[in-house]
Structures are given as C-alpha cells and as structure tokens.
Amino acid sequence: MFLEPQETMPQTSVVFSSILGPSCSGQVQPGMGERGGGAGSGSGDLIFQDGRLISGSLEALMEHLVPTVDYYPDRTYIFTFLLSSRVFMPPHDLLARVGQICVEQRQHLEAGPEKAKLKSFSAKIVQLLKEWTEAFPYDFQDEKAMAELKAITHRVTQCDEENGTVKKAIAQMTQSLLLSLAARSQLQELREKLRPSAVDKGPILKTKPPAAQKDILGVCCDPLVLAQQLTHIELDRVSSIHPEDLMQIVSHMDSLDNHRCRGDLTKTYSLEAYDNWFNCLSMLVATEVCRVVKKKHRTRMLEFFIDVARECFNIGNFNSMMAIISGMNLSPVARLKKTWSKVKTAKFDVLEHHMDPSSNFCNYRTALQGATQRSQMANSSREKIVIPVFNLFVKDIYFLHKIHTNHLPNGHINFKKFWEISRQIHEFMTWTQVECPFEKDKKIQSYLLTAPIYSEEALFVASFESEGPENHMEKDSWKTLSFTVCPVCLFMKMCLYFLPEDQHSQVGVRGLIHGFRLDAHAVLLGGQLISTALFMPEVEKTRNWSPNHNEVTM
C-alpha cells in the first residue's frame, strides 16, 4: 500500500543516524529556517502538505537541497533527493548545478549587507558535501563529479583565509572520501576475481557424482548451526549492496535512464550476485536431496532442510528460508512422492504457510513486520537480524515505481513517490548494517559456497533414478533426458548410424565422465531406435545385459 506523506519517513534508526543525522522526519525542523528567496529562487514551485514536501519542479528541488545563511535542508530530504535525483540526471550534473547555486548565493551575500555571514554559508556547503560523500561515495568515482567537487570546495575556501577551519573540514572530507573509494574499489576487484565461483556456485554437474562424495550432513548435521552459517553468508553478500545500487531497479526501467554514474556491470553486479546466491542455494538443496540413493536417507535429508529453514525463520533470515523452501518445491524433488510420504511434513506445512503467496504474501509480510519490531527493540545482536526475501523486496520497488508516475500532470516531480522508495531502501540498508553475531565456520561455509550442484537436467535424471517415471509425460521426459544429459549418449547416437540395417541388436556404450562410470543402453530393431536407458552401474547392479559393447573414455 502506498503510504500517505506524513507516514512515509519514520525517525532514523540508530544504524543510519551517522549518515542521515538526528533530524529525519522529512518535515521542516524548528531552528532550521526557511529557504531564502535568493537570486533565481524556485522555492515557489515546491508543494507541501502538512509540512511535508510532496512535489516540485526539478529546479526547485535542487535549490531546496542547497543551504542558505538561515536554512539547512532536512537530512532525510538530502538522502532522498540525492538518491532519487539520479533517475533524472547523473550525479555529476547535479553537483555542477549545486555549484552554480552556491555561486549565486555567494554573489547575493557579497552584494548585500550579510557579507559577514559568508563564512557560515561556506561551512554549511561543506557540511552538505560531507553528507553527500558519506552517503554516496561512489558518485565521486566519476572524474566529472570529482572535478565538480574540487571546483566547489575551491570556491568556498576563498572566504576562509584567516583560520582555515573550512579548509580543514574539506581536507578531512576529501581524505575520508578517498579512503572509502579505495576500500570499495579493492572489494570490487576481489569480488570480480571471485565472480565465477560466486555466480556459478562451483561446478555444475550434469550427472550424479560418486556415492562416496561428501554431502551436507557429512559437513554439518546441526540445523541451527547451518542456519547460522547461511545467515553469515547472507549478511556478507547483502553488505555489498548500496542505496544507489537499489535505485537502479527504478532507473533501469525508466525511459530517462540514459545516464549512469557507474558502469552497468559495476552498478548491477552486487544485485545479480545476491540474486544468484538465492538460486544457487535452492539448487544445492535440490541436489543434496536428489543425489541420495536410499529412500530412508532422502527422507532424513528433507527433514534436515525443513529444520534448517525453520531455524532460519527463527533467526529472521527469510531469504535463506525461502531459498530452501523453493529448492524442496522444485519439480525433481516435489515429485518424489514415496520419499515425501515418509517425511513428517507438519513443520514444512507451517513454513509454507508463512510463505503463502496469496494476498501478496500477506503471511510473510506479517512475519517480516514482527521481525522488524523485534529488531527495533532488540537487547542483543541476535535479535537485530532481519534479512528479507530479496526478490520480493525488488518486486515491491518495481511495482511502486510502475504504479506511481515520476511526474504529476503539472510537470512537478512526484516526490511523495520518492519518499516511499527512499523509506523502503533506507529500511533495507538498516538491516544490512547488522553485524552477524554467530561464530564463523569456514568449513561449512566453504561447502555451501563451492559444493557441486546439478544442472536442471541432471536433477531430473537423479530424481527418475530414485523414483521411476509414473505417467506418460514423465516417461517421455525420461527418454529425452537419456539422450541429452551427457556426452556418452551423444556418442551412442553416432554409433547407431554405423550399424547394419538388418541387424537386430542392443548397443551399449560405457564411459568415464569426471572420473566415474556411466552406462548408456539402447535397443534397436531393424536399425530403428525403440528403447533407451541411462543408468549408473553402482546403482543398477542387478541389470545384466550383453550388448555389442563399445568402451569409450571421455
């Protein structure tokens, strides 16, 4: 639901207070003053409702950002406008316009009786720039933005020749900015190096690995410990997402999005990597279930992941919980009816109830609201954890952008919309700043991040091997998969063309793939393929057949 303007921005949380400051209601604050009507003032183009700014022209909103002698913008407005302005113009252009307004304000002061207040005005400009560089340091990675920043700071230091307090503040701001940019650059380089493993989640297996290979229960058999390690990974990955990255959800959909303050890859990589982590966790859950040969062990594996998902819910890690449920609901796992019949599903039913998509995930949103309230009143770091389902958060931003226009009929920017987008992004960023209180287990995390996962085709093959196809559709899928899932089958297809047409035969091809053996079996009649089978000798030891045998190693 779209909130009324007076409800859109709650008081700033403790976590973000260093960025937004203590005054964050979005209203005009006592003692802050009203924006002056200096040269070229567009303040008359701003519309307020109950003391809350709800719309205005772009020029008036930019002027409202710049301080005057008697006015300093509300810190929530600074954050919201700096975040949303990139939908309409790149940050370096906004910075250039801020510089022009500063020049106009200075000229107005120098020509009037308030010349003595010039130093106070300069200090406020430096404070604005400080808040900008702290909240959105990546805006200044662009050379044009850095040049504009230097130009503005050069102008404001000209009135500080006596004691140099403004110069000192600028020097500290610049040093902090450069350190922040260097740290983020190093982190980005590291993530680029690790990008293949982070996105692909280790090797993608197209066939079942050897039975002796370790599974998740061999690494961690405690659901609570695994849920804690998943929370570690979630918080580590989500911490690389910044407010301007999330704003790309809006600007990528906008027809005005021809400008970017950073390259597309850099801008969206953190979002893509986090989204890929969800998909990889779902596939890992499905792989761990489908790879198990014995039904009793598959049942234990399903019950284990149900318990892990429940522990994630109790922690407040809804993203991992949803990924685990999604993995168990994938078709290759969901179709294992004989296995599921042995599972105690009462806990799973409760989890699915929380993630019921009806009424726009009403049950999940109620649980999320409860976790948020717990976090706000938390006495311990464990109670502060809130990790929402990222895909649903993205959808909320998407629909908020789609339902409400950027501009009103009178040409004003619909700032009420951007208050709400900013509120949701601000709340999300607050959650990402929580430090994980659980002890890190490198062995478990290494398995979660690098364990091989099945391709979609291999999941179905493993599923059909565990419980055979039950209907015509599954049988057709099984036949198709038998000839597409591995290179051995492709080799066998080629062999068929070289057989005499009058030969009634069975053809077998045995191959070694990734160090383990796989057999493919085909039955021909008059040179026509009438039956196929694909199985692992380790599993199908009871099948004895004596075909015209061809040995291959791949």
Side-chain angles (χ1 to χ4, degrees):
M1 179 182 293
F2 191 75
L3 302 179
E4 290 301 316
Q6 61 267 24
E7 299 173 329
T8 55
M9 289 295 287
Q11 290 294 320
T12 308
S13 67
V14 174
V15 177
F16 238 25
S17 61
S18 60
I19 294 179
L20 298 186
S23 175
C24 295
S25 67
Q27 296 173 315
V28 177
Q29 300 296 317
M32 295 180 69
E34 298 290 342
R35 189 151 200 335
S41 175
S43 299
D45 292 331
L46 298 178
I47 305 299
F48 290 82
Q49 186 179 75
D50 298 326
R52 172 90 49 164
L53 176 61
I54 61 171
S55 72
S57 66
L58 181 59
E59 179 65 23
L61 291 171
M62 287 190 290
E63 291 188 5
H64 195 60
L65 176 70
V66 181
T68 66
V69 173
D70 302 315
Y71 161 82
Y72 191 84
D74 175 78
R75 286 169 175 79
T76 302
Y77 174 76
I78 294 174
F79 177 80
T80 301
F81 182 70
L82 291 178
L83 180 65
S84 57
S85 63
R86 62 201 67 232
V87 174
F88 307 100
M89 62 195 307
H92 64 81
D93 281 354
L94 174 60
L95 197 58
R97 182 62 188 125
V98 167
Q100 292 173 2
I101 297 174
C102 288
V103 170
E104 294 169 3
Q105 288 289 335
R106 179 172 177 171
Q107 291 174 347
H108 179 70
L109 288 171
E110 290 176 340
E114 297 183 309
K115 187 175 181 179
K117 296 183 178 181
L118 192 57
K119 187 175 179 180
S120 174
F121 168 71
S122 298
K124 289 183 178 180
I125 295 299
V126 173
Q127 177 62 25
L128 173 67
L129 296 175
K130 180 176 181 290
E131 294 190 35
W132 191 339
T133 56
E134 288 177 349
F136 304 100
Y138 252 128
D139 287 354
F140 299 89
Q141 194 176 35
D142 180 72
E143 292 182 1
K144 294 180 180 179
M146 188 60 80
E148 293 293 345
L149 178 64
K150 291 179 179 178
I152 296 174
T153 55
H154 175 71
R155 295 189 194 106
V156 298
T157 54
Q158 293 177 358
C159 65
D160 188 41
E161 299 296 338
E162 295 180 4
N163 53 25
T165 55
V166 173
K167 285 185 178 180
K168 290 178 183 178
I170 291 173
Q172 292 175 355
M173 175 193 71
T174 304
Q175 183 179 14
S176 297
L177 174 60
L178 293 176
L179 288 174
S180 181
L181 287 175
R184 288 198 184 186
S185 178
Q186 291 175 1
L187 185 61
Q188 188 64 38
E189 289 177 4
L190 178 61
R191 285 199 167 95
E192 287 294 337
K193 290 179 181 179
L194 299 176
R195 184 170 186 171
S197 60
V199 174
D200 294 338
K201 186 63 169 50
I204 306 296
L205 297 182
K206 294 188 176 181
T207 48
K208 184 174 285 189
Q213 184 170 326
K214 187 183 299 182
D215 63 15
I216 186 65
L217 289 173
V219 178
C220 177
C221 59
D222 188 333
L224 175 59
V225 172
L226 188 63
Q228 291 174 347
Q229 298 310 307
L230 287 170
T231 303
H232 254 296
I233 295 173
E234 292 278 355
L235 289 174
D236 177 66
R237 299 217 162 192
V238 79
S239 66
S240 66
I241 297 175
H242 304 288
E244 61 268 31
D245 300 327
L246 294 170
M247 203 63 188
Q248 292 300 295
I249 300 169
V250 173
S251 59
H252 275 185
M253 297 180 290
D254 199 283
S255 60
L256 296 176
D257 186 33
N258 297 318
H259 315 286
R260 288 178 173 69
C261 58
R262 292 158 59 195
D264 285 350
L265 272 178
T266 333
K267 200 69 175 175
T268 60
Y269 170 65
S270 295
L271 303 180
E272 292 171 358
Y274 191 50
D275 185 57
N276 282 329
W277 154 248
F278 179 97
N279 296 330
C280 288
L281 179 55
S282 296
M283 294 296 284
L284 176 63
V285 170
T287 298
E288 293 289 332
V289 173
C290 289
R291 63 182 287 192
V292 180
V293 175
K294 294 183 178 180
K295 181 170 63 177
K296 179 175 68 174
H297 294 164
R298 281 198 304 276
T299 301
R300 182 189 174 197
M301 187 68 75
L302 280 171
E303 291 179 339
F304 174 73
F305 277 117
I306 291 171
D307 288 338
V308 174
R310 186 181 64 169
E311 294 295 347
C312 286
F313 177 84
N314 292 336
I315 289 172
N317 182 359
F318 299 105
N319 200 57
S320 289
M321 172 192 171
M322 178 66 96
I324 293 170
I325 293 175
S326 298
M328 290 189 286
N329 280 326
L330 290 174
S331 296
V333 179
R335 65 166 297 277
L336 299 173
K337 296 179 181 178
K338 294 178 182 178
T339 304
W340 279 102
S341 68
K342 302 296 182 180
V343 175
K344 299 175 182 178
T345 58
K347 297 176 185 177
F348 188 67
D349 293 341
V350 172
L351 294 174
E352 287 205 307
H353 172 74
H354 285 303
M355 294 301 171
D356 183 356
S358 61
S359 301
N360 192 21
F361 289 89
C362 177
N363 296 337
Y364 158 71
R365 296 183 189 281
T366 301
L368 179 63
Q369 184 179 12
T372 302
Q373 293 174 350
R374 180 189 67 182
S375 177
Q376 293 170 348
M377 303 172 62
N379 295 318
S380 68
S381 55
R382 295 192 176 202
E383 296 175 334
K384 292 182 180 179
I385 297 173
V386 181
I387 305 174
V389 179
F390 187 64
N391 286 337
L392 292 181
F393 172 78
V394 169
K395 288 178 181 177
D396 287 345
I397 298 295
Y398 172 84
F399 284 113
L400 183 60
H401 173 65
K402 282 297 183 182
I403 292 173
H404 303 280
T405 60
N406 288 346
H407 293 87
L408 299 176
N410 63 357
H412 279 194
I413 290 174
N414 182 8
F415 209 67
K416 188 197 300 190
K417 164 185 173 176
F418 291 104
W419 277 128
E420 176 61 14
I421 291 176
S422 175
R423 183 193 67 81
Q424 293 194 21
I425 290 178
H426 169 268
E427 187 173 47
F428 182 87
M429 295 307 302
T430 301
W431 295 329
T432 69
Q433 303 300 314
V434 175
E435 185 176 350
C436 188
F438 309 121
E439 184 177 352
K440 189 174 183 178
D441 190 314
K442 293 183 179 180
K443 182 180 178 181
I444 297 175
Q445 289 197 25
S446 176
Y447 185 89
L448 291 170
L449 293 170
T450 63
I453 58 176
Y454 284 178
S455 65
E456 185 178 354
E457 294 84 359
L459 279 175
F460 273 106
V461 169
S463 179
F464 287 139
E465 287 178 348
S466 298
E467 297 184 19
E470 295 185 348
N471 52 52
H472 291 297
M473 183 178 296
E474 287 190 347
K475 289 177 181 178
D476 290 342
S477 298
W478 175 228
K479 287 182 181 181
T480 302
L481 286 168
S482 298
F483 271 79
T484 59
V485 75
C486 78
V488 172
C489 299
L490 297 177
F491 182 84
M492 185 177 71
K493 285 182 181 179
M494 295 174 63
C495 292
L496 301 181
Y497 289 101
F498 297 98
L499 292 172
E501 290 187 4
D502 58 349
Q503 182 176 348
H504 295 196
S505 69
Q506 296 186 36
V507 177
V509 177
R510 174 172 296 163
L512 291 174
I513 301 181
H514 300 301
F516 57 92
R517 199 176 76 199
L518 183 71
D519 289 346
H521 182 205
V523 178
L524 291 90
L525 182 63
Q528 298 296 315
L529 181 66
I530 61 172
S531 176
T532 65
L534 179 67
F535 58 91
M536 294 190 64
E538 291 85 350
V539 179
E540 306 287 346
K541 290 181 179 178
T542 58
R543 293 190 182 181
N544 296 314
W545 46 279
S546 301
N548 297 328
H549 206 184
N550 299 290
E551 289 281 351
V552 296
T553 301
M554 306 186 72

